[in-house]
Amino acid sequence: MIKFARLLYVSFALLFIIAISFGLKLSYVLKINPLSKLLESILKFILSFSGVVFVKIAQSLSLKRYLIGERLSKSLSSLQEKSFGKQKSFNYIKKFVKQDFQSNNIDIDVIHQKNILNNNQNFYGKPILILQNKKPDFSGSIANIYKCKLISQENKESFVALKIVKIWLKKQTIADLEIFLSIAKFLNYFNKFKKLELPLIIENVSKITINEFDMQMELNNSYLLKSNLVFKENKHQNIFNFRIPIIYDEFSTKSILMQEWIDGLSLINILNKDQMTLDKKVRHKIAKSIILLYLEQVYNDGCFHADLHLGNIIYCKSQECLYLVDCGNVSQISKKDRMAVAKILYFFIAKNYKKATIEYIKAGYISSNVDVNLFSNELQKLATKAIKSNCDSNVMDVSSVINSVIEITQKFNLKVQPQLLMLQKTILYVEASVYQIDSNFDVWSTIIPWMKQWSWNNSTLKQKIKTIFTKLLRKI
């Protein structure tokens, strides 16, 4: 029943969104600002109240300002930090938290701020969780976050963030994903869409989205990212260190995640609400930090935060660092793939398209039967077009280069590599985040020296020298 009801809703919602999009385009052309603002608000309302999948679409669209325009991009970007839609009452949330703790044998009392005794003493001899507010402090597409006070058995107090999954949205989300998969399978019958591998993309997105409802998955991902971030402390100069909030394993379940409360603001919050002014040096430093984080995570670790928009990065001024939150979507890329992608990107930078083509073949992304000269010429045309796309603003569009790679595979009737889909999405998020923070930031000036150093570190000659010395040391 829910699937049929959602099918009707999704069908009408999609038609309505298409109609509003045409209206917006017309209002922009005719420069009717009042109508544009009204339609932008209606579109944002529909997307934010239509469920998890629609919010994810809105978040993705907000990063494509070259596609939807600067104003609409800024309007939708607020959904990176706050989601709306159906909420449950405070009594429901309080009861849900208590029952979830009890069913997982977690011995803790859950009370509301107004029920605390004046002396604030722990009479129960066990931990107490005090919910500060009746409304969530942050509301994402999949979970709400409440600021709470945790009083330990030893009567020590600390502020924590209690992330509670919107479990009531899970069935609806699964139904929506099944509907979008059916649409993708239908479109797949047409040659124009067949090359895009839409069913494969939807299946990957579905798996990732459903996993985000599991807080144990996010807990494991957080520890995975944290182990790599600790290793990188002070590796680069003049950048902010990234950290992961401390997690309270003993008070976390599949539906609830407890972690330390960070006294800071998300970067999207800072940009949209002007709650904190960032001077040019700080903006530049943040932008550089985000790019280097991406490079380190993807090419050195093979494990990266795959939802790296500004709503998931918190700037903590007092600690002079950046915190990564919402680690539910973490992807891994094999050493073979990251080496291949890095080499292709490196040869793009060096404008050696023939070698880039050879790396495609070596990685198995294209058939060895492909004409190397023809493929490299197409690669050059598309890469040159992508790199020149933003010459007026003195910015080279990295995501356009990555997208050019996908465009070429489609032109040559080659299948999109599923293991690279999240990588493509992440570089789009990263680049959009960087330009939102510092519109004049030159991404290539950071990438080129890093890639050159990476290329040397991973060169065959250096690897051979390291192997020889390792063997000698073992003999000694």
Side-chain angles (χ1 to χ4, degrees):
M1 186 66 188
I2 185 171
K3 189 173 179 180
F4 180 72
R6 287 304 296 175
L7 178 60
L8 288 175
Y9 182 89
V10 168
S11 300
F12 281 113
L14 287 173
L15 289 171
F16 207 55
I17 288 166
I18 291 168
I20 291 172
S21 299
F22 276 115
L24 262 174
K25 193 173 182 180
L26 187 63
S27 67
Y28 289 151
V29 171
L30 299 176
K31 297 181 180 179
I32 309 174
N33 287 332
L35 179 61
S36 298
K37 287 181 180 178
L38 176 64
L39 291 175
E40 284 169 5
S41 299
I42 293 171
L43 182 61
K44 181 180 172 182
F45 177 85
I46 293 169
L47 288 168
S48 61
F49 278 87
S50 294
V52 173
V53 178
F54 285 88
V55 172
K56 296 282 184 187
I57 291 169
Q59 289 174 343
S60 181
L61 283 173
S62 71
L63 300 170
K64 299 176 182 177
R65 64 187 190 282
Y66 59 87
L67 186 66
I68 64 172
E70 189 72 36
R71 207 163 70 186
L72 182 57
S73 172
K74 188 173 182 180
S75 176
L76 294 179
S77 68
S78 63
L79 294 177
Q80 294 175 19
E81 190 262 335
K82 185 178 180 182
S83 174
F84 302 93
K86 186 180 178 183
Q87 295 284 5
K88 294 290 185 180
S89 67
F90 175 74
N91 287 333
Y92 172 92
I93 296 296
K94 186 179 172 184
K95 186 179 177 182
F96 175 80
V97 172
K98 283 183 175 181
Q99 288 178 345
D100 195 57
F101 280 148
Q102 285 172 5
S103 63
N104 286 279
N105 297 317
I106 298 173
D107 194 16
I108 184 171
D109 276 315
V110 181
I111 60 175
H112 184 231
Q113 179 75 33
K114 68 178 184 179
N115 298 327
I116 303 172
L117 296 173
N118 291 330
N119 58 13
N120 206 22
Q121 187 176 348
N122 185 352
F123 287 104
Y124 300 97
K126 59 182 177 181
I128 297 176
L129 184 68
I130 304 167
L131 298 170
Q132 301 285 99
N133 303 308
K134 288 192 173 184
K135 290 184 178 180
D137 293 87
F138 298 99
S139 181
S141 58
I142 284 174
N144 287 329
I145 298 175
Y146 292 82
K147 184 179 182 180
C148 303
K149 184 184 285 185
L150 178 66
I151 303 177
S152 69
Q153 286 177 304
E154 296 77 26
N155 234 21
K156 291 181 180 178
E157 297 181 3
S158 56
F159 284 106
V160 296
L162 196 70
K163 187 172 184 179
I164 305 168
V165 169
K166 296 177 180 178
I167 201 71
W168 57 90
L169 293 180
K170 191 172 182 179
K171 284 185 179 179
Q172 176 190 299
T173 303
I174 291 171
D176 287 356
L177 289 168
E178 287 176 354
I179 291 165
F180 277 95
L181 181 59
S182 299
I183 294 169
K185 285 179 178 177
F186 172 74
L187 293 174
N188 207 45
Y189 284 109
F190 301 94
N191 289 331
K192 187 177 180 181
F193 295 99
K194 210 165 191 174
K195 302 171 189 176
L196 298 176
E197 296 282 349
L198 290 176
L200 184 64
I201 293 170
I202 298 297
E203 283 171 3
N204 275 278
V205 170
S206 298
K207 185 179 177 182
I208 291 160
T209 304
I210 298 305
N211 281 342
E212 286 188 63
F213 279 92
D214 185 351
M215 290 295 100
Q216 282 297 315
M217 182 76 75
E218 181 166 342
L219 185 150
N220 295 334
N221 288 340
S222 298
Y223 278 124
L224 186 60
L225 289 180
K226 192 171 187 176
S227 62
N228 290 326
L229 289 175
V230 171
F231 178 74
K232 289 176 182 57
E233 287 279 345
N234 302 318
K235 184 175 179 180
H236 298 283
Q237 292 182 341
N238 197 31
I239 67 163
F240 288 108
N241 283 324
F242 280 89
R243 295 174 187 169
I244 304 288
I246 295 168
I247 297 169
Y248 294 79
D249 307 52
E250 66 274 28
F251 300 123
S252 296
T253 69
K254 285 180 74 69
S255 301
I256 295 172
L257 181 73
M258 188 188 290
Q259 55 190 17
E260 70 173 311
W261 180 266
I262 306 300
D263 284 319
L265 290 169
S266 70
L267 293 178
I268 197 68
N269 202 304
I270 293 170
L271 291 180
N272 286 345
K273 298 181 181 178
D274 296 320
Q275 292 191 25
M276 185 191 300
T277 54
L278 299 175
D279 61 41
K280 287 183 179 180
K281 286 184 178 180
V282 174
R283 285 174 178 267
H284 182 87
K285 192 174 176 181
I286 290 173
K288 187 177 180 181
S289 302
I290 293 171
I291 284 292
L292 286 172
L293 174 75
Y294 167 79
L295 292 170
E296 289 282 352
Q297 285 191 334
V298 171
Y299 298 112
N300 282 336
D301 303 336
C303 173
F304 56 96
H305 193 305
D307 202 14
L308 208 58
H309 57 70
L310 296 183
N312 287 338
I313 304 174
I314 297 177
Y315 174 54
C316 186
K317 191 175 181 180
S318 60
Q319 297 180 39
E320 282 293 301
C321 71
L322 298 167
Y323 277 88
L324 289 181
V325 296
D326 197 1
C327 300
N329 190 355
V330 170
S331 290
Q332 297 191 47
I333 180 171
S334 69
K335 188 173 183 180
K336 178 191 170 185
D337 281 323
R338 67 179 187 257
M339 292 288 284
V341 172
K343 285 178 180 178
I344 290 167
L345 182 58
Y346 179 77
F347 288 127
F348 255 98
I349 293 167
K351 297 182 180 179
N352 193 331
Y353 304 107
K354 195 166 185 177
K355 281 194 175 182
T357 302
I358 291 168
E359 289 301 329
Y360 265 106
I361 295 169
K362 282 183 181 178
Y365 298 159
I366 61 175
S367 170
S368 57
N369 296 325
V370 169
D371 187 314
V372 173
N373 290 325
L374 183 62
F375 192 90
S376 57
N377 286 338
E378 288 296 325
L379 206 60
Q380 183 176 3
K381 285 178 189 176
L382 288 169
T384 304
K385 180 184 175 183
I387 290 170
K388 286 183 177 179
S389 63
N390 284 330
C391 274
D392 294 337
S393 60
N394 196 32
V395 172
M396 294 184 179
D397 195 345
V398 181
S399 62
S400 290
V401 173
I402 302 296
N403 288 332
S404 293
V405 171
I406 305 298
E407 192 177 333
I408 291 167
T409 59
Q410 292 166 7
K411 187 170 183 177
F412 279 78
N413 292 314
L414 303 169
K415 289 185 177 181
V416 175
Q417 300 297 316
Q419 70 271 32
L420 303 183
L421 289 173
M422 289 311 298
L423 186 64
Q424 185 199 8
K425 174 202 166 191
T426 304
I427 185 61
L428 177 67
Y429 270 33
V430 168
E431 190 184 35
S433 297
V434 165
Y435 291 150
Q436 280 179 285
I437 288 291
D438 184 355
S439 58
N440 296 315
F441 187 83
D442 184 358
V443 174
W444 289 108
S445 66
T446 301
I447 289 180
I448 290 172
W450 192 94
M451 287 302 297
K452 284 181 177 177
Q453 184 62 47
W454 179 92
S455 182
W456 162 243
N457 289 343
N458 291 275
S459 67
T460 307
L461 176 62
K462 184 171 181 180
Q463 288 300 321
K464 283 180 178 178
I465 293 170
K466 284 174 80 174
T467 303
I468 290 166
F469 271 102
T470 303
K471 285 181 179 178
L472 284 172
L473 285 170
R474 282 176 182 172
K475 287 181 180 179
I476 293 168

